[in-house]
Amino acid sequence: MEFAGIGYRSLQDSGALRGGTDRHSHILYGVDDGVETVAEALSALAFEEYIGVTDVWCTPHIMEDVPNETDALRIRFEELRTLYTGPVRLHLAAEYMLDGLFVRRFNSGDLLLMEDDVILVETSSIAAPYDFIGILSGIMAEGYRPLLAHPERYVYMKMADYVRLRKMGVLFQLNLPSLIGYYGREVRSRAETLLRKGMYFAYGSDCHREKAMRLQYSTARLSKDVTKRVGQIGCDM
């Protein structure tokens, strides 16, 4: 539904996500601070199906505070894939905090990847990890592509930092809730700027709660320009 003469609409009604891929979600149940139950996971996937998403990546946290084991995540993922009978294609990767555990897992080759070479990584929202550029360079030197989760949320970054990272070959993933102001006005402004500059490689719901995702996608209003640009993300992949 649009407001007459204004052209603002919700993500749900815009159709921007139809045929798209959710590259960042915590729908894999009972493994981190995300979805807790099978029932909620299935409901979240039903909503992804309803808005037209065709592929969902389950990307549970792996960090020193949440040291999920790769094999255990694979077992839980197969459980979810068996229980879900809808048309959305499910995939398993992980969201890696760039901390000491990541370095150990990386060095041992114990990784959950997208497309065999993409690693979804994150940092603290307030400070970069020690030797941030060195870590990213090391990832790429081994033939992997780092996909930086929700860069618009990192308050320590300036536009020059974003430009430097993109020139290096670091990929950016947009959190859709950032665009609707879920993390505040500054984050929303950063997200809109990066979106206008065409700097995002992928987007994700970062879904932790199914009800929150439904509310965010159905009530917040975005301009036609923003929803059009969201729909274009990933089309040239």
Side-chain angles (χ1 to χ4, degrees):
M1 180 180 298
E2 299 181 19
F3 297 134
I6 299 178
Y8 281 74
R9 47 194 175 172
S10 68
L11 266 174
Q12 174 180 302
D13 294 336
S14 71
L17 307 183
R18 193 171 297 123
T21 298
D22 182 350
R23 289 260 174 180
H24 181 177
S25 80
H26 295 273
I27 291 176
L28 191 63
Y29 58 94
V31 296
D32 58 12
D33 61 343
V35 167
E36 296 178 349
T37 67
V38 172
E40 186 182 3
L42 295 178
S43 184
L45 290 171
F47 181 67
E48 297 262 30
E49 176 184 336
Y50 172 72
I51 60 177
V53 170
T54 59
D55 293 79
V56 170
W57 284 86
C58 298
T59 54
H61 287 293
I62 295 182
M63 59 178 76
E64 289 177 337
D65 292 340
V66 189
N68 277 309
E69 296 291 340
T70 300
D71 288 343
L73 291 176
R74 286 186 173 130
I75 291 171
R76 178 57 55 87
F77 176 72
E78 289 305 321
E79 292 174 358
L80 177 60
R81 193 153 63 172
T82 298
L83 292 166
Y84 174 67
T85 58
V88 174
R89 292 182 290 267
L90 302 181
H91 313 272
L92 177 64
E95 181 185 15
Y96 292 96
M97 178 66 72
L98 292 179
D99 57 16
L101 178 60
F102 171 75
V103 173
R104 294 191 294 275
R105 296 276 179 99
F106 182 80
N107 288 338
S108 66
D110 181 13
L111 299 170
L112 289 167
L113 306 171
M114 298 178 180
E115 279 94 35
D116 297 327
D117 67 346
V118 175
I119 306 177
L120 182 67
V121 298
E122 68 170 336
T123 78
S124 159
S125 63
I126 59 175
Y130 175 74
D131 195 24
F132 182 35
I133 298 300
I135 294 172
L136 294 173
S137 297
I139 291 172
M140 290 185 287
E142 294 298 320
Y144 299 108
R145 294 184 290 167
L147 175 58
L148 187 61
H150 41 67
E152 68 277 357
R153 292 176 55 189
Y154 302 137
V155 299
Y156 62 86
M157 285 192 181
K158 307 297 183 185
M159 184 52 63
D161 299 311
Y162 295 127
V163 171
R164 179 185 184 187
L165 291 174
R166 288 296 294 115
K167 285 184 176 179
M168 285 176 57
V170 177
L171 307 172
F172 290 172
Q173 174 257 306
L174 164 68
N175 260 22
L176 293 173
S178 296
L179 286 176
I180 63 178
Y182 182 74
Y183 309 104
R185 291 182 180 179
E186 181 180 351
V187 172
R188 180 173 185 165
S189 177
R190 286 168 175 256
E192 290 176 346
T193 298
L194 294 173
L195 185 64
R196 285 196 306 271
K197 291 180 177 292
M199 299 181 79
Y200 286 115
F201 169 83
Y203 58 73
S205 64
D206 201 357
C207 174
H208 283 67
R209 295 290 179 269
E210 175 263 340
K211 289 183 179 179
M213 179 171 63
R214 285 180 182 268
L215 182 65
Q216 292 161 8
Y217 281 23
S218 64
T219 60
R221 292 300 192 262
L222 301 174
S223 70
K224 285 186 176 180
D225 178 66
V226 167
T227 56
K228 179 181 178 181
R229 291 177 186 274
V230 168
Q232 292 171 342
I233 293 175
C235 290
D236 57 351
M237 288 164 46

